[in-house]
Amino acid sequence: MKQTTVGGSKRKMANALAIAVLVVIFLGYMFPFLMVVINSLKQKRDIIKDPFSWLFTIKGLSFDNFVKAFVQMDFLNAFKNSLLVTVSATILVTLLAAMLAYYIVRNKNKISDITFALMVASMIIPFQAIMIPLVSIYGGTLHVLEHRLTLIFMHTGFSMAMSVFMFHGFIKGNIPIALEEASCIDGCSHSQTFFLIVFPLLKPIISTMVILNSLAFWNDFLLPSLVLSKKELLTLPLSTYSFYGTYSADYGTIMAGLLLCVIPILVLYVVLQKQIIGGVVAGAVKRSEEHTSELLVNVYKGWVIMQKDKIHLKSPGNWINDPNGFIYYRGKYHLFYQYFPWAPQWGTMHWGHAVSKDLVNWEHQEIALFPTKYEDQNGCFSGSALEYRGRLYLYYTGVHYHQPDPDNIHLCRNEQFLSSQMLITSRDGMRFDNFHNKSVIIPCMEENGPGDRTHTRDPKVWRGSDAWYMVLGSTDGDGLGKLLFYRSTDLTDWKFVNAVSGKNGFGWMWECPDYFETEGGGVLLLSPMEIMKDGKKDTAQTICMPVEFEETTCTMQIPNTYQFVDYGLDLYAAQTTLDEEGRRTMVAWMRMPQPVDGAWSGMFCIPRVVELRKGHVYFRVHPNIEKMYTKQILYVSEADRAGYKISVDIGDGESIGIGGYWIFRRGCHICTDRSNVFGRHTDYRLQFMTPEIKEGYHLDIYVDHHLIEIFINDGEYVLSNVVYGLDNRIQTDIEAGYRMYTLES
């Protein structure tokens, strides 16, 4: 107790000492101003006798000095001149500096870099070094002195460097580019985007620069004294010079005149003091949350970036669907995705972007692709990625609506739109020039072309033995799906080679085709539309099958049978790439019937390794994911926020309930029921069953708050379901028991 008391006393003493020091510093700063106020109310003889005497010791206090200063200064005229010069120069430098800083930040090239460097360098040049040449040029050569416009022009020029520097820091650290991308989608020009979107967000730094520049312009004496000498043009600081005579000075009037000069700008500072402090801080550093929070977010009207996810990549806010451009590039996994950043519902498609070093820890980046061209005006649909000579190539489908829905311009009436295949490249996989670096590689199909003008999309590109190949999903117009194969030798000039038509019962249009080779042979992934005929929602499903592909003629035989990629039937639009070790790895979209907390919709499954063995396609948990679940636990409450894993061998007739979601074995099948954890969505499927199991009944069940993935016999089959409202109960009648694991902290 004594130690605590002593420690508290020491802290109090230290605080008192700090306060005392601050008071002394404050008084030191305020003393000159206090002397001006005191002496402005004294008569001249009292000032000369004792300038440091306090007011209560002086007789004959008077406001005569203020009256005399007001008349002798011609205060109203001088105030008008100061106000005109200060306001005009402040408005000019604010607008010009904001526009120039915005251009420099958003246009990274040599010209902008050199311009910014020169402006920063110019701040170290003292004004005294250039004032004599300045007067000689403007007075002797140009004859433009004795004009208020000249002074306004000079104030603007000399203040530009610091102002641009401050605006540059604020825009770079605080203004998200996605807002500008959205305004471009809505048809704004560059000037409209700046003045309607960006400029209003600059309020803190505008307030800062207004007060700093206004103070400088209002109080400046040296520059106006070089430019103006006529009495009718004098500013307030210059007009105080009239109080000084050759042999004497009227100190009381001088003090009163100084007060009259500073009071207007002092009022402005008091009004804007909060904004100036906030603007300086925001312009100097980024918000500390970006460095300390696990969820690194920057939100404005639903826009979110830099969110971190573990195991399952989820929507960073609002809507996501198909994975796009999945690739291992320059030591990182890049996963792009269909993204509508303005609401948790489908709309005009952008490409969101996330990166990971290990397929476990993901971090969302800024939007990669957004509509800028006629061909992709209404959306950047799905596609794929590849690397060539260090550059990242993104292929995607651009869509253009004939007639947007007047009630929701993000939708199209009667599916009247055109589809074109497009390309954009990047030097580093992080920056994409959406305005200047897009090109159309396959224009919209002609009426008698190999594919449908509307429903031809989702290019998947790969390297063959002798050239580059592309497959597109399409329809033949008679209710059958169709694949279109193209070949290229340079990645930009693509020639149509062959079309492969589907079979009855395989859907009317084939989305998201993906062909690849494994050690066991070739595999084709498809997402046929309306392949399900059971009257429930989500009639489009993702299927897979072993196939053979002949490169010379681009022929492929489609078998009569197929597997579902996932028998929970929520998974869709699968896409694969080769991982760091050369394993064929797949991700896919898990469809959600309602947003989570009204804020976000859509997530991706655990990355899965695809293998073909004896004509059967296996989907195994990726080893990077599997090795994360090493901490054995007894209760769900002990699990990491990223979820937990249950391993169990299930006997015939046995079951296990996970938070209200039931898994049970019925003969040679694994079945599930999510009726208790799927709200009132009875128009969706609630019960599920695998085909006949042949290799045993071991289950590895990966549980997330909104997704349960069941891997049967290391990927013989997978059954995954989206869920809502899981609780922490584990109920089971399995005699052998179960083991539960989570991630190490």
Side-chain angles (χ1 to χ4, degrees):
M1 292 295 293
K2 289 183 178 180
Q3 290 179 348
T4 303
T5 303
V6 171
S9 299
K10 288 183 177 180
R11 283 194 296 272
K12 290 180 180 178
M13 292 178 60
N15 291 336
L17 181 61
I19 292 173
V21 171
L22 291 175
V23 169
V24 171
I25 294 174
F26 172 75
L27 292 176
Y29 275 103
M30 289 300 297
F31 182 75
F33 180 75
L34 188 61
M35 288 297 99
V36 171
V37 173
I38 292 173
N39 288 304
S40 68
L41 298 172
K42 295 180 183 179
Q43 296 181 10
K44 183 176 180 179
R45 65 175 184 273
D46 295 320
I47 298 175
I48 295 174
K49 180 180 178 181
D50 188 0
F52 299 105
S53 61
W54 298 101
L55 294 179
F56 60 83
T57 64
I58 303 298
K59 296 181 179 180
L61 295 179
S62 170
F63 287 92
D64 290 345
N65 290 332
F66 288 92
V67 176
K68 184 178 179 180
F70 189 89
V71 174
Q72 190 170 334
M73 292 169 63
D74 193 5
F75 180 83
L76 292 179
N77 183 66
F79 179 83
K80 178 194 71 176
N81 292 333
S82 287
L83 187 65
L84 178 63
V85 169
T86 300
V87 171
S88 301
T90 300
I91 292 174
L92 271 177
V93 74
T94 301
L95 285 175
L96 295 176
M99 289 189 288
L100 180 56
Y102 174 70
Y103 175 84
I104 292 173
V105 171
R106 293 295 186 247
N107 294 272
K108 299 300 294 181
N109 52 54
K110 289 185 178 180
I111 294 177
S112 62
D113 290 344
I114 292 173
T115 300
F116 185 64
L118 290 176
M119 298 199 78
V120 173
S122 70
M123 290 192 291
I124 67 174
I125 302 175
F127 173 73
Q128 291 78 2
I130 61 173
M131 66 180 189
I132 295 177
L134 189 73
V135 173
S136 299
I137 294 173
Y138 280 85
T141 304
L142 300 177
H143 303 290
V144 292
L145 298 181
E146 304 296 347
H147 291 284
R148 283 186 291 257
L149 283 176
T150 302
L151 182 58
I152 293 170
F153 173 76
M154 289 184 177
H155 274 319
T156 302
F158 287 124
S159 302
M160 279 295 289
M162 175 58 75
S163 299
V164 168
F165 178 77
M166 295 292 288
F167 276 108
H168 181 279
F170 187 90
I171 293 171
K172 187 175 182 180
N174 295 274
I175 306 300
I177 194 171
L179 298 176
E180 300 153 46
E181 296 168 351
S183 69
C184 292
I185 294 171
D186 292 335
C188 287
S189 63
H190 290 303
S191 59
Q192 289 174 320
T193 298
F194 176 77
F195 286 107
L196 297 179
I197 305 297
V198 176
F199 197 73
L201 298 178
L202 301 179
K203 182 180 177 181
I205 194 64
I206 288 175
S207 300
T208 300
M209 299 317 299
V210 164
I211 190 66
L212 293 179
N213 287 326
S214 296
L215 280 169
F217 301 155
W218 186 274
N219 295 324
D220 191 23
F221 181 89
L222 182 56
L223 183 58
S225 69
L226 297 174
V227 178
L228 307 174
S229 61
K230 294 180 181 180
K231 185 176 181 180
E232 64 272 16
L233 299 178
L234 298 182
T235 60
L236 280 175
L238 287 181
S239 64
T240 61
Y241 198 63
S242 63
F243 303 135
Y244 294 87
T246 305
Y247 301 105
S248 65
D250 190 347
Y251 296 113
T253 310
I254 292 172
M255 300 299 177
L258 290 176
L259 278 179
L260 290 175
C261 289
V262 301
I263 286 174
I265 204 69
L266 190 62
V267 171
L268 179 64
Y269 177 80
V270 171
V271 172
L272 297 179
Q273 60 178 325
K274 289 184 179 180
Q275 284 81 0
I276 182 174
I277 294 172
V280 170
V281 173
V285 296
K286 286 193 176 184
R287 302 178 184 186
S288 61
E289 288 85 356
E290 292 188 3
H291 302 284
T292 59
S293 174
E294 182 177 358
L295 294 182
L296 304 180
V297 295
N298 200 341
V299 184
Y300 181 79
K301 291 185 179 178
W303 177 82
V304 186
I305 63 167
M306 303 304 287
Q307 178 176 312
K308 290 182 177 181
D309 286 323
K310 184 181 290 186
I311 304 296
H312 292 99
L313 182 64
K314 302 178 177 69
S315 168
N318 298 311
W319 174 274
I320 68 170
N321 52 277
D322 306 5
N324 300 151
F326 188 29
I327 189 172
Y328 184 72
Y329 173 72
R330 293 193 177 184
K332 292 183 179 180
Y333 294 95
H334 292 253
L335 180 55
F336 303 87
Y337 49 84
Q338 294 285 277
Y339 184 34
F340 183 58
W342 308 117
Q345 63 187 46
W346 194 94
T348 301
M349 283 295 106
H350 302 50
W351 274 32
H353 183 198
V355 298
S356 173
K357 293 182 178 179
D358 54 10
L359 294 173
V360 175
N361 299 286
W362 292 93
E363 185 171 340
H364 290 273
Q365 306 298 308
E366 293 189 16
I367 290 172
L369 303 188
F370 55 90
T372 54
K373 303 298 183 184
Y374 176 87
E375 290 82 3
D376 69 4
Q377 179 178 345
N378 300 105
C380 302
F381 278 18
S382 292
S384 58
L386 60 84
E387 177 183 5
Y388 182 60
R389 294 182 177 176
R391 295 183 71 92
L392 186 65
Y393 287 68
L394 299 184
Y395 294 89
Y396 70 100
T397 300
V399 296
H400 180 91
Y401 292 170
H402 280 311
Q403 187 178 8
D405 187 335
D407 295 325
N408 183 353
I409 63 170
H410 299 288
L411 302 178
C412 179
R413 275 191 169 179
N414 303 318
E415 294 196 348
Q416 295 298 309
F417 62 90
L418 301 178
S419 298
S420 305
Q421 312 315 315
M422 304 182 69
L423 167 66
I424 187 172
T425 64
S426 171
R427 293 181 178 179
D428 58 7
M430 303 298 289
R431 292 172 290 183
F432 301 88
D433 187 349
N434 283 267
F435 291 99
H436 306 106
N437 199 25
K438 287 179 178 177
S439 60
V440 177
I441 54 171
I442 301 177
C444 178
M445 297 289 174
E446 300 293 338
E447 289 293 345
N448 297 320
D452 189 79
R453 290 170 60 81
T454 297
H455 297 292
T456 297
R457 53 182 172 267
D458 308 339
K460 179 62 187 290
V461 180
W462 72 95
R463 177 66 186 180
S465 61
D466 61 342
W468 303 95
Y469 291 86
M470 175 192 293
V471 61
L472 291 166
S474 189
T475 178
D476 67 356
D478 294 322
L480 297 179
K482 192 177 188 180
L483 297 179
L484 307 179
F485 290 96
Y486 288 77
R487 182 188 291 119
S488 174
T489 57
D490 60 6
L491 292 173
T492 57
D493 183 22
W494 292 89
K495 304 296 184 183
F496 174 72
V497 181
N498 189 34
V500 175
S501 296
K503 302 175 183 294
N504 287 324
F506 275 48
W508 69 269
M509 191 271 164
W510 289 351
E511 289 194 302
C512 306
D514 189 353
Y515 169 75
F516 50 88
E517 293 286 338
T518 70
E519 290 185 2
V523 175
L524 177 67
L525 301 183
L526 290 174
S527 295
M529 303 183 73
E530 296 187 10
I531 193 172
M532 300 294 288
K533 306 292 184 180
D534 58 358
K536 297 293 186 179
K537 287 189 175 181
D538 288 343
T539 59
Q541 293 294 329
T542 299
I543 63 175
C544 61
M545 59 198 74
V547 295
E548 293 184 1
F549 177 67
E550 203 285 309
E551 286 187 353
T552 305
T553 58
C554 287
T555 56
M556 179 182 288
Q557 295 298 321
I558 305 297
N560 295 319
T561 59
Y562 59 82
Q563 293 174 225
F564 287 112
V565 168
D566 190 295
Y567 283 83
L569 305 181
D570 288 334
L571 180 147
Y572 194 68
Q575 187 170 105
T576 70
T577 191
L578 291 177
D579 72 1
E580 185 179 8
E581 302 297 329
R583 294 172 291 227
R584 179 58 58 173
T585 303
M586 183 205 80
V587 293
W589 170 40
M590 302 305 301
R591 295 174 287 194
M592 309 180 81
Q594 71 181 50
V596 176
D597 300 325
W600 63 272
S601 180
M603 60 189 297
F604 297 117
C605 68
I606 284 176
R608 305 173 182 181
V609 175
V610 187
E611 296 177 351
L612 179 63
R613 299 200 297 263
K614 297 180 180 180
H616 184 82
V617 184
Y618 289 74
F619 297 93
R620 298 191 296 107
V621 177
H622 194 280
N624 289 11
I625 303 294
E626 190 174 23
K627 70 182 181 182
M628 296 300 296
Y629 293 83
T630 58
K631 180 181 179 181
Q632 190 162 0
I633 57 176
L634 296 177
Y635 305 102
V636 173
S637 58
E638 301 177 70
D640 184 88
R641 287 191 301 173
Y644 57 96
K645 166 189 171 182
I646 293 177
S647 293
V648 63
D649 290 281
I650 189 168
D652 191 12
E654 293 182 330
S655 63
I656 181 170
I658 301 174
Y661 176 88
W662 284 94
I663 306 169
F664 53 95
R665 176 181 162 192
R666 184 178 295 164
C668 298
H669 305 272
I670 299 298
C671 307
T672 66
D673 188 340
R674 63 175 172 186
S675 302
N676 298 326
V677 287
F678 205 60
R680 298 180 180 178
H681 301 292
T682 55
D683 48 350
Y684 289 81
R685 302 171 190 89
L686 300 177
Q687 289 86 30
F688 306 87
M689 183 171 67
T690 66
E692 181 180 342
I693 306 296
K694 299 179 180 179
E695 300 179 14
Y697 299 95
H698 177 78
L699 311 182
D700 289 308
I701 308 163
Y702 291 81
V703 184
D704 179 88
H705 296 291
H706 298 287
L707 178 63
I708 295 179
E709 298 170 270
I710 307 166
F711 291 81
I712 303 160
N713 300 326
D714 197 22
E716 179 184 355
Y717 290 107
V718 186
L719 195 161
S720 306
N721 286 138
V722 168
V723 293
Y724 296 89
L726 289 178
D727 59 42
N728 287 343
R729 293 176 299 164
I730 303 294
Q731 302 166 274
T732 184
D733 57 8
I734 299 175
E735 292 185 4
Y738 62 88
R739 298 175 304 282
M740 185 159 52
Y741 304 89
T742 191
L743 290 73
E744 294 286 349
S745 300

